[in-house]
Amino acid sequence: MVTDQAAGATDVELTLAARGGSSSRWTPWLFRIGSVGLVLLIWELYGRAQDTTLFFVPFTSVVTALWELVQTTEFWDAFRQTFIPFIWGWLLSLVVGIFLGLLIGRFPAFDALTKPYVTFLNALPISTLVPIAVILFGIGYPSRILIVFLFGVIEVTLNTAAGVRYVNRDLVEMGESFNGTQWRLFRKVILPASVPGIMAGVRIGTGRAVVGMVVVEILLVAVGMGRLILRYRGRFQSAELYAVVLALILFGILLQVLARRIELRASRWKSEMEQVA
Amino acid sequence: MRNMTRQNRNRLLSVIGLLAGLVLWEVIGRLELSPAFPPFSAVLAAVVEVWSSPRFLEALKESLISIAIALPPSIVLGVAIGLLIGRYRRVEWALDPLINTFLSLPLVALIPVLFLIFGLGRGSILATIVIYTFFIVVVNTAAGVKTTDPEIVEMARSFGAGEAHVMNRVILPSALPLTFAGIRIATGRAIRAVIIAEQVIGLIGLGGLVQRLGGAFAVEQLYAVVLFVGLFGLVSMEAVAIAERKALPWIIAQEETEPAFQGA
Amino acid sequence: MIEIREIGRQFNTRDGGTFEALKDVSFSVKDKEFFSIIGPSGCGKTTLLKMVAGLVRPTSGQIVIDGSPVSGPGNDRAMVFQHFVLLPWADILTNVGFGLEMRGLSRRESREAARPFLDRVGLTGFAEHYPHELSGGMQQRVGLARALAVSPDILLMDEPFGALDAQTRQLMQEDLMRIWDVEQKTVIFVTHSMDEAAYLSDRVLVMDTHPGKVREVLDVPLPRPRDEAVRTTPVFNELTSHMWHELRGMIGDPTAPAPE
Ligand SMILES: Nc1ncnc2c1ncn2[C@@H]1O[C@H](COP(=O)(O)OP(=O)(O)OP(=O)(O)O)[C@@H](O)[C@H]1O
Ligand SMILES: [Mg+2]
């Protein structure tokens, strides 16, 4: 059987890798690049085999459309209109989330008081709040900001709280032994020790805020990237529609990569410590 | 003993927090600051009315059907692929970049494309559920397989266990805790997926109901549905968690994978 | 003078019961005395030391230092922790200055004030290194320097040399002797090593276990200053073999209840 052969091969490679053998160094990349290439190829060929490019657009057409799109001022106008409320909602979610998370993680009573709301909001598809935001603020920037904020804030809060709550007990005790004020203990021990948790919250919250941004674009009467999507759909310009989607995705991935970078840097002491341990 | 009372104290505080919030909600509602904040009592009345209305039950049924059609196969396939990825390096190399791509992109953005491909109907809803749930099950299952102690595999091998046997008796049990975690997360995401997809269509299911009630400014009814969706999410995740504890009483928490773009 | 008066401590167990870690522990430590505590693992040495530090509350009895009961940590005491407990995100100099920072000095001031203490434990060149770059023995010395830096009257040391290899351990013992000769502090020193206890101490408390209690307090009639030579004197050997017999009796006791 194919699987049995594969299994045998796997074990051989495992031992090779364990011995630091370099003969298979390029094999993983062969597989990685090969599979991605294959998927793109299938995408391309399947797209070309269609009678119409109305529904399924070949990969190259999407890339071309994106390339043309980013050279129009219209695209960047739309992007700006999407981006500005995103930035505000995102920053707000970080600030509020970190603040609430610190309180929740540090004070069990506050944690208990707010638990029903945090739990509920964590389980709720935030998109259901979009109509309420619209009734509250209309369809302008305020409700867009609110939605992005709501998407991001829960994850930031939960992760920050977890970071604070699971600060090493021994560190806290050591800090207490030096008889400082509670505030100093917080600033010099608990806060720095929570940074990895906070940064994980920032990364995940950033991702969620991007989701909120996209939800705004596809659910609200559109002005930004969402309007481009609507228009291209109306004009049956599917390649352009794909391109807008691709742009949103690339933007999301870019932010994610950045957030991960920042997280790794801020939490470096932790990973280094774990490597030693 | 002291822990017990602390736990009780916290429960009490949660109840107090909830009650205080509801009172505040009522007061804000009575002040008529905004049509977006009707008093809680009005929402409660709407809950009684809406949750038993045929329109709501029909919408709920639609949403549940979509989940019932899409989630189980997505989970089964996800577990299968996850096992392969965790077990066979070449499969991992081949699929890792693809899976990672899907885990690190905002899946909602794909919805317009899905609707283009599958049309404004159930097909798109099902597709949304699948992309929201499949990859998360895959990575968690694969991570579960990776927790298998290689020495136990060697031990089983040394007793003459074949690949199928190793898979069944060694790898699968080790992978179960994280697999279950993946299923739990997928359940929550399936609900998010069905709701957002229905909201985009705006006609069918609970998501459609939310959009229509919002459009009609039927705020009390809207809150009633939102409350239901949130509680439904809570209860379903809790149900999976209970099943998890029943099935795997020995597990202690392991780090599950939850990517940033956790659905809408 | 530190007076431990009929201290008891119970912990809640997970199944809702209680576990008696310490029972009726009474002894006192004189000013400038080097006082060691030795006992089998789990007999409550750390718990006892943390009570003196004000980090753990006794469930019964009290601890009185110079006439006033301990109600929490104080500036007169500093602890050296069994597992070092350094701040992983801060460099060594900041770690040594940490106690001072907690007491209100600025980062810069406390780092400045920490330098001589870093020198004293022989880590001069490591000011800007991070804890994970140091060996266990070096980390332990950072912990010691950190405690010394706040100039406590009472130094509470919890198996500070437990993680060290035999040679480093001897060197550290000599260093500590030297430091103690100069600084003249009251030291309560927890250890597993009879040899270490005899070599360093004025008196040694031998603890019994399940529940932890005082077995006996031994005088160490060895003249000071001591050097390596005392380890071979008859008095030293008699003392350590006495402790060994006492402790062996406890550890080997098959009727002792299993630790939690
Ligand atoms: N916070 C706590 N909760 C419950 N039990 C505890 C706690 N702290 C200590 N114990 C128990 O009290 C007993 C004494 O612990 P302690 O750490 O003081 O022992 P020790 O003498 O320092 O041991 P070792 O030599 O191994 O360091 C142990 O049985 C331990 O399990
Ligand atoms: Mg101890």
Side-chain angles (χ1 to χ4, degrees):
Chain A
M1 289 273 300
V2 178
T3 47
D4 281 339
Q5 280 170 358
T10 310
D11 285 345
V12 172
E13 273 141 19
L14 266 172
T15 44
L16 271 180
R19 288 198 204 118
S22 59
S23 64
S24 62
R25 225 174 88 205
W26 299 108
T27 326
W29 287 104
L30 219 73
F31 275 82
R32 284 177 193 138
I33 296 167
S35 72
V36 173
L38 191 68
V39 166
L40 291 181
L41 192 71
I42 292 173
W43 178 355
E44 180 71 20
L45 292 181
Y46 183 77
R48 292 203 182 175
Q50 304 285 306
D51 308 329
T52 157
T53 52
L54 264 186
F55 311 114
F56 201 92
V57 183
F59 175 64
T60 47
S61 314
V62 177
V63 174
T64 315
L66 181 61
W67 177 244
E68 278 160 12
L69 205 59
V70 295
Q71 288 166 338
T72 62
T73 52
E74 194 181 23
F75 173 83
W76 292 106
D77 280 345
F79 181 74
R80 212 184 50 237
Q81 279 178 325
T82 300
F83 189 64
I84 290 172
F86 165 76
I87 285 286
W88 286 110
W90 173 63
L91 289 178
L92 204 61
S93 74
L94 296 189
V95 172
V96 174
I98 290 175
F99 181 72
L100 284 179
L102 290 175
L103 286 180
I104 289 176
R106 189 72 188 124
F107 302 109
F110 189 75
D111 181 21
L113 271 175
T114 52
K115 180 143 275 162
Y117 306 102
V118 175
T119 315
F120 180 80
L121 283 178
N122 191 36
L124 180 74
I126 301 293
S127 59
T128 56
L129 298 179
V130 170
I132 297 176
V134 172
I135 293 172
L136 182 63
F137 284 138
I139 54 165
Y141 275 179
S143 57
R144 287 156 185 270
I145 293 172
L146 177 65
I147 293 164
V148 172
F149 164 79
L150 286 172
F151 264 91
V153 72
I154 297 292
E155 287 292 343
V156 183
T157 306
L158 288 175
N159 281 281
T160 302
V164 176
R165 203 174 292 134
Y166 298 121
V167 168
N168 187 334
R169 288 270 336 136
D170 288 344
L171 273 183
V172 177
E173 197 169 57
M174 186 279 291
E176 283 170 346
S177 81
F178 284 103
N179 195 28
T181 58
Q182 276 295 314
W183 170 241
R184 265 183 233 138
L185 184 69
F186 178 78
R187 229 186 48 211
K188 296 186 187 299
V189 179
I190 294 170
L191 194 59
S194 316
V195 164
I198 296 174
M199 292 318 296
V202 168
R203 171 175 51 84
I204 299 175
T206 300
R208 300 275 282 141
V210 171
V211 172
M213 178 190 89
V214 177
V215 165
V216 165
E217 294 305 323
I218 61 181
L219 282 188
L220 252 51
V221 176
V223 293
M225 304 284 271
R227 195 180 61 189
L228 293 185
I229 290 180
L230 265 190
R231 179 195 309 154
Y232 295 136
R233 187 197 290 164
R235 294 187 191 159
F236 304 106
Q237 289 176 297
S238 298
E240 281 75 7
L241 189 149
Y242 272 66
V244 175
V245 166
L246 186 59
L248 285 173
I249 287 174
L250 289 177
F251 174 69
I253 290 181
L254 178 74
L255 273 186
Q256 224 21 227
V257 169
L258 279 179
R260 175 152 295 246
R261 273 265 172 93
I262 297 172
E263 181 187 6
L264 283 179
R265 173 153 301 187
S267 317
R268 193 152 45 182
W269 58 265
K270 198 172 178 227
S271 46
E272 276 168 357
M273 202 173 65
E274 276 156 5
Q275 274 166 21
V276 172
Chain B
M1 291 276 287
R2 236 169 52 199
N3 276 335
M4 291 281 282
T5 60
R6 184 175 307 160
Q7 210 174 38
N8 280 339
R9 193 199 63 170
N10 283 347
R11 286 219 184 97
L12 186 70
L13 278 175
S14 292
V15 174
I16 291 175
L18 190 60
L19 290 178
L22 294 182
V23 168
L24 191 69
W25 184 355
E26 183 69 24
V27 170
I28 290 178
R30 293 276 173 91
L31 291 177
E32 297 189 3
L33 294 176
S34 156
F37 298 122
F40 174 67
S41 51
V43 171
L44 208 58
V47 163
V48 175
E49 173 214 318
V50 170
W51 286 12
S52 60
S53 70
R55 188 160 75 136
F56 172 82
L57 292 175
E58 178 63 26
L60 174 60
K61 196 183 83 190
E62 288 295 328
S63 301
L64 288 181
I65 288 176
S66 295
I67 294 180
I69 296 176
L71 184 57
S74 178
I75 289 176
V76 171
L77 203 65
V79 170
I81 304 280
L83 287 176
L84 292 179
I85 289 183
R87 185 80 187 108
Y88 305 113
R89 285 214 149 183
R90 300 187 165 193
V91 183
E92 180 185 355
W93 292 332
L95 295 187
D96 228 27
L98 299 172
I99 306 269
N100 274 334
T101 308
F102 273 94
L103 281 175
S104 60
L105 60 80
L107 290 170
V108 255
L110 288 177
I111 287 180
V113 167
L114 292 181
F115 276 92
L116 209 59
I117 298 175
F118 296 102
L120 277 181
R122 173 152 279 147
S124 295
I125 299 179
L126 300 183
T128 309
I129 299 177
V130 170
I131 61 166
Y132 264 57
T133 54
F134 172 72
F135 302 101
I136 199 74
V137 175
V138 171
V139 276
N140 277 288
T141 306
V145 174
K146 294 256 164 80
T147 63
T148 313
D149 185 346
E151 291 195 352
I152 297 186
V153 176
E154 274 173 21
M155 183 274 290
R157 278 270 161 75
S158 76
F159 283 109
E163 181 60 21
H165 204 239
V166 168
M167 197 56 144
N168 265 330
R169 305 295 289 278
V170 182
I171 301 208
L172 210 54
S174 315
L176 265 183
L178 275 176
T179 304
F180 250 110
I183 294 174
R184 176 163 40 80
I185 299 170
T187 307
R189 288 165 61 104
I191 296 171
R192 290 174 198 272
V194 81
I195 297 289
I196 182 72
E198 289 170 344
Q199 278 186 283
V200 174
I201 300 178
L203 290 172
I204 47 173
L206 288 174
L209 190 58
V210 164
Q211 288 304 103
R212 277 177 295 152
L213 291 173
F217 279 74
V219 188
E220 289 90 352
Q221 284 92 327
L222 177 57
Y223 271 101
V225 177
V226 170
L227 275 180
F228 180 87
V229 174
L231 293 177
F232 181 68
L234 265 182
V235 170
S236 342
M237 304 254 296
E238 193 52 36
V240 180
I242 289 171
E244 201 173 331
R245 281 196 291 271
K246 280 262 155 61
L248 320 156
W250 72 89
I251 59 159
I252 34 166
Q254 294 193 49
E255 202 169 325
E256 50 211 43
T257 306
E258 170 85 272
F261 298 115
Q262 182 212 22
Chain C
M1 170 109 132
I2 307 168
E3 295 162 79
I4 316 291
R5 295 180 182 163
E6 287 162 24
I7 284 289
R9 172 72 212 203
Q10 298 179 336
F11 288 110
N12 297 311
T13 52
R14 216 172 280 189
D15 52 22
T18 55
F19 166 73
E20 195 162 40
L22 289 166
K23 187 182 174 184
D24 271 340
V25 176
S26 297
F27 62 91
S28 56
V29 181
K30 292 178 219 122
D31 281 350
K32 320 282 184 224
E33 185 174 25
F34 201 113
F35 188 92
S36 286
I37 301 176
I38 193 166
S41 192
C43 73
K45 305 180 294 292
T46 297
T47 308
L48 190 57
L49 207 62
K50 283 185 179 169
M51 284 184 190
V52 180
L55 294 171
V56 173
R57 269 178 212 292
T59 34
S60 61
Q62 66 176 177
I63 294 172
V64 178
I65 297 179
D66 296 334
S68 42
V70 169
S71 61
N75 288 353
D76 54 338
R77 283 155 284 153
M79 182 148 170
V80 180
F81 291 83
Q82 186 169 359
H83 305 293
F84 330 141
V85 203
L86 306 182
L87 306 176
W89 57 82
D91 68 9
I92 297 306
L93 196 57
T94 303
N95 264 290
V96 175
F98 173 78
L100 295 167
E101 236 183 289
M102 281 302 282
R103 290 181 184 179
L105 264 63
S106 72
R107 169 75 46 95
R108 215 172 44 81
E109 290 164 345
S110 52
R111 278 173 67 90
E112 213 41 59
R115 254 185 217 286
F117 294 93
L118 201 60
D119 299 343
R120 190 165 325 167
V121 295
L123 291 175
T124 311
F126 293 90
E128 257 105 66
H129 283 59
Y130 281 80
H132 69 91
E133 299 169 327
L134 269 56
S135 71
M138 292 156 99
Q139 293 192 37
Q140 189 57 273
R141 279 190 266 175
V142 176
L144 176 60
R146 176 177 64 194
L148 291 173
V150 294
S151 315
D153 301 327
I154 300 167
L155 200 54
L156 306 167
M157 306 181 73
D158 192 1
E159 293 193 38
F161 308 145
L164 309 185
D165 62 84
Q167 281 157 326
T168 320
R169 194 172 179 131
Q170 276 207 2
L171 291 176
M172 288 290 292
Q173 288 169 1
E174 278 157 34
D175 286 351
L176 179 62
M177 274 289 81
R178 217 168 15 82
I179 291 168
W180 181 73
D181 277 338
V182 179
E183 302 247 336
Q184 287 294 305
K185 295 178 187 308
T186 309
V187 177
I188 303 186
F189 187 96
V190 168
T191 177
H192 264 124
S193 156
M194 296 153 249
D195 183 86
E196 187 169 88
Y199 178 65
L200 294 172
S201 318
D202 297 317
R203 285 190 301 154
V204 180
L205 165 68
V206 182
M207 283 184 73
D208 212 340
T209 189
H210 302 301
K213 49 189 171 290
V214 175
R215 179 125 177 167
E216 61 181 329
V217 180
L218 303 168
D219 276 311
V220 182
L222 293 168
R224 288 188 192 271
R226 297 170 191 168
D227 53 27
E228 280 307 302
V230 297
R231 292 190 204 261
T232 53
T233 58
V235 179
F236 188 92
N237 287 324
E238 204 175 302
L239 203 64
T240 47
S241 64
H242 177 77
M243 284 189 251
W244 195 76
H245 279 286
E246 294 283 318
L247 290 171
R248 190 188 62 164
M250 281 176 253
I251 295 161
D253 183 0
T255 60
E260 297 293 303

